[in-house]
Amino acid sequence: METGFADFEDSHGHYTGYSGVDEDDYSCSIYTEEDAYESIFFTINQYHRLKNISLAPLDYGENEEKRIGLKICKQYYKKGTTFSSNESLTIDSDVEIGCVHLDLQALLNGPEDWKQLPFFKLEFYRLLQVEISFHLKGIDLQAIQSRELPDCYVFRNKITFDNKAHSGKIKIYFDSDANIEECRALNISGSIQKNTQYVLLFDASVIAICLASLILCTRSIVLALRLRKRLENFFLEKYKRRVCDVDQWEFISGWYVLVIISDLMTIIGSILKMEITVKNLTNYDLCSILLGTSTLFVWIGVIRYLGYFQAYNVLILTMQASLPKVLRFCACAGMIYLGYTFCGWIVLGPYHEKFENLNLVSECLFSLVNGDDMFATFAQIQQKSILVWLFSRLYLYSFISLFIYMILSLFIALITDSYDTIKKYQQNGFPETDLQEFLKGYCIKEYEKDTITFQTQVGCQRKGSDDDLMLIN
């Protein structure tokens, strides 16, 4: 939603061309005091004329102080004098902040009144920045076309004139943060309310189904834990030893745990969605994260049913077999990766925009591991220092060679080895664990017991007539 502050206009009616994107950091620049004053006054005038120039359904909003209007603050050094002739400088580095609030009544007096305020007499040699903040509110009527209740927004806007560098150039930043809030006194006629009830009914049925699934899966986990406890006590009494960890984990179904987590997320997300539908809550982010993650877990759970087919079961078994080795390998490789991350940030940070902070360095190196953006990373290194330029070549070549040709190949080899092992097990049989041997022996004993019982019953029937004996034979 456009707020009407996308351009800055000078006194002659010409736009300075602020599009939100500059060559480096989403800003535009001004170079004279006249341009600075005109940009500040233009912003104030545009705010005053908002309802006459904006096509969007916007209105003035209250700020954190429950006031409507513009809040203009300037930061500047406490005192200072400069003498360019003898290159001397006297300045107090303590920073002072002064603010003024222009409400709608003050803006009605005309530009000639508020332009003459002493606050706007700027001393640029000690000025750090000027910050203009204001709130706007609007409503999204597009949702009505989808037969939904509209959303109300509050735009927290801030325009910053940054002069901290004191380089003869002031950068102007425009930042707008839109938050959804509850609409008050909505009076909308039509079929929207009826459709909303259908959506709420569907959400309620989803919650009921997930709640039943959650209870059943939790019950299965509890019964499995009780059975494991009985097995541990049996092994201690009969064999005088503990059950190994692998056999203990056989009682905990990872699929049931995945379903429980997915059901919990779906239930909480659906409750939030119902509250958002009736406009009692506006936390879209948390709701989307819960529902999106639960959907991911549901589709992962579908793999369980493919495991009943031997051809598809190879993937699941390979992942289970290779996971411990892959985690240990990643822990070792991660130490090397962190070393390269800190090294690149410390050395190349001042010379390359992709190494300015740890987050950017990590993303850049991860892209290099996947073979992405290699030439641009090499080419953008500034050649201000020959020593740093040579180090950057050694740094990038060694990282790419180490991770792509060695570490990544070893990573794939671990998974391939697990795959080959699983294929051999499928052909020759899987090795039996203590639990499987115990169950196998138990089943044989039960079979022999049932056979003896059956033979005993048959023997009792042989005491009848000879016709019965011939019939049984």
Side-chain angles (χ1 to χ4, degrees):
M1 187 178 291
E2 299 293 336
T3 57
F5 291 88
D7 294 297
F8 291 94
E9 184 182 22
D10 58 23
S11 60
H12 302 288
H14 300 111
Y15 287 90
T16 57
Y18 175 61
S19 61
V21 179
D22 195 34
E23 69 278 0
D24 51 358
D25 53 5
Y26 296 90
S27 65
C28 68
S29 301
I30 53 178
Y31 300 89
T32 64
E33 293 185 7
E34 182 182 2
D35 290 339
Y37 282 115
E38 288 180 350
S39 298
I40 294 173
F41 295 148
F42 169 75
T43 303
I44 300 173
N45 191 43
Q46 288 290 92
Y47 178 83
H48 175 56
R49 298 172 53 222
L50 175 67
K51 293 186 177 181
N52 298 326
I53 61 177
S54 177
L55 297 176
L58 292 174
D59 199 358
Y60 301 110
E62 295 181 347
N63 57 16
E64 292 81 1
E65 301 173 357
K66 302 299 181 181
R67 302 176 66 181
I68 296 178
L70 287 168
K71 183 179 180 181
I72 307 173
C73 296
K74 61 180 181 180
Q75 297 181 14
Y76 50 92
Y77 292 121
K78 193 170 184 180
K79 66 172 72 173
T81 56
T82 59
F83 303 94
S84 57
S85 58
N86 57 2
E87 299 180 354
S88 63
L89 172 65
T90 302
I91 198 165
D92 189 343
S93 60
D94 292 336
V95 177
E96 291 185 343
I97 300 177
C99 295
V100 64
H101 188 274
L102 298 178
D103 55 17
L104 297 180
Q105 185 64 36
L107 295 176
L108 287 175
N109 297 331
E112 294 77 11
D113 293 338
W114 44 263
K115 282 184 180 180
Q116 303 302 322
L117 293 176
F119 178 84
F120 292 109
K121 303 300 181 181
L122 303 178
E123 297 177 345
F124 289 93
Y125 69 91
R126 63 189 186 103
L127 178 68
L128 293 175
Q129 73 174 27
V130 176
E131 183 178 289
I132 304 176
S133 59
F134 54 93
H135 289 189
L136 301 175
K137 57 184 180 181
I139 184 170
D140 181 18
L141 298 178
Q142 185 178 1
I144 297 180
Q145 299 178 3
S146 304
R147 300 188 181 277
E148 299 177 359
L149 293 175
D151 294 319
C152 294
Y153 292 85
V154 173
F155 298 93
R156 294 174 172 84
N157 305 290
K158 182 172 64 176
I159 299 175
T160 304
F161 296 78
D162 188 1
N163 190 41
K164 294 179 181 178
H166 287 90
S167 60
K169 176 175 69 173
I170 295 179
K171 287 189 175 183
I172 305 177
Y173 301 90
F174 176 66
D175 180 45
S176 181
D177 183 21
N179 293 329
I180 303 176
E181 293 192 355
E182 179 183 354
C183 295
R184 300 176 182 175
L186 281 178
N187 185 13
I188 302 174
S189 60
S191 59
I192 292 181
Q193 295 294 334
K194 187 176 181 180
N195 291 328
T196 302
Q197 292 175 359
Y198 291 150
V199 173
L200 294 177
L201 182 62
F202 174 77
D203 292 335
S205 62
V206 171
I207 293 175
I209 294 173
C210 291
L211 186 61
S213 173
L214 176 64
I215 294 174
L216 293 176
C217 291
T218 305
R219 174 180 175 273
S220 299
I221 293 292
V222 172
L223 293 177
L225 292 175
R226 291 179 180 177
L227 184 59
R228 186 181 70 175
K229 185 64 177 178
R230 291 178 59 186
L231 180 69
E232 291 177 351
N233 295 334
F234 177 81
F235 264 67
L236 289 174
E237 294 176 1
K238 189 172 183 64
Y239 301 107
K240 306 302 180 182
R241 62 186 179 89
R242 293 179 63 256
V243 181
C244 64
D245 295 335
V246 176
D247 289 338
Q248 290 187 24
W249 282 106
E250 288 290 332
F251 290 87
I252 306 298
S253 176
W255 299 114
Y256 285 166
V257 175
L258 187 67
V259 171
I260 290 174
I261 297 175
S262 176
D263 288 339
L264 283 174
M265 288 186 170
T266 303
I267 292 172
I268 299 174
S270 298
I271 293 175
L272 291 177
K273 180 177 177 295
M274 295 175 69
E275 293 294 323
I276 291 173
T277 302
V278 297
K279 305 305 177 183
N280 290 333
L281 291 178
T282 58
N283 198 341
Y284 280 84
D285 294 336
L286 179 60
C287 178
S288 61
I289 290 174
L290 290 173
L291 293 180
T293 307
S294 65
T295 304
L296 171 64
F297 288 163
V298 167
W299 282 103
I300 292 176
V302 175
I303 302 178
R304 175 192 181 189
Y305 301 99
L306 297 178
Y308 293 109
F309 303 94
Q310 184 175 0
Y312 299 102
N313 196 34
V314 176
L315 172 62
I316 303 175
L317 295 177
T318 302
M319 293 174 61
Q320 291 177 348
S322 61
L323 183 61
K325 293 184 290 185
V326 168
L327 291 178
R328 289 191 293 268
F329 180 80
C330 289
C332 297
M335 298 298 103
I336 304 176
Y337 189 86
L338 286 176
Y340 271 93
T341 300
F342 281 99
C343 179
W345 172 52
I346 295 171
V347 180
L348 303 180
Y351 299 93
H352 200 298
E353 62 180 7
K354 294 182 180 180
F355 292 83
E356 290 180 352
N357 57 60
L358 289 175
N359 185 40
L360 290 176
V361 177
S362 179
E363 293 174 354
C364 177
L365 295 182
F366 187 78
S367 299
L368 291 177
V369 171
N370 291 276
D372 184 29
D373 210 21
M374 284 192 179
F375 178 77
T377 304
F378 277 94
Q380 292 178 5
I381 294 288
Q382 300 178 14
Q383 300 185 18
K384 295 182 179 180
S385 173
I386 298 299
L387 181 62
V388 174
W389 186 85
L390 292 174
F391 176 84
S392 68
R393 265 46 193 171
L394 177 62
Y395 172 85
L396 292 175
Y397 279 123
S398 62
F399 176 81
I400 293 172
S401 301
L402 179 63
F403 272 82
I404 293 182
Y405 302 135
M406 183 180 296
I407 294 180
L408 195 59
S409 299
L410 289 174
F411 182 83
I412 297 173
L414 290 175
I415 301 177
T416 304
D417 179 66
S418 299
Y419 175 79
D420 294 336
T421 303
I422 296 299
K423 292 293 289 185
K424 292 179 181 179
Y425 285 163
Q426 287 186 333
Q427 295 174 359
N428 305 324
F430 287 85
E432 293 183 348
T433 62
D434 294 341
L435 178 61
Q436 292 171 341
E437 291 179 355
F438 170 76
L439 293 176
K440 183 178 179 181
Y442 178 78
C443 291
I444 292 176
K445 291 180 180 179
E446 288 295 321
Y447 174 77
E448 292 176 349
K449 180 180 179 181
D450 292 342
T451 303
I452 294 173
T453 303
F454 175 75
Q455 291 176 351
T456 303
Q457 294 176 353
V458 172
C460 293
Q461 293 179 2
R462 288 181 181 180
K463 296 180 181 180
S465 62
D466 293 339
D467 294 336
D468 295 338
L469 178 61
M470 292 298 295
L471 179 60
I472 292 173
N473 290 335

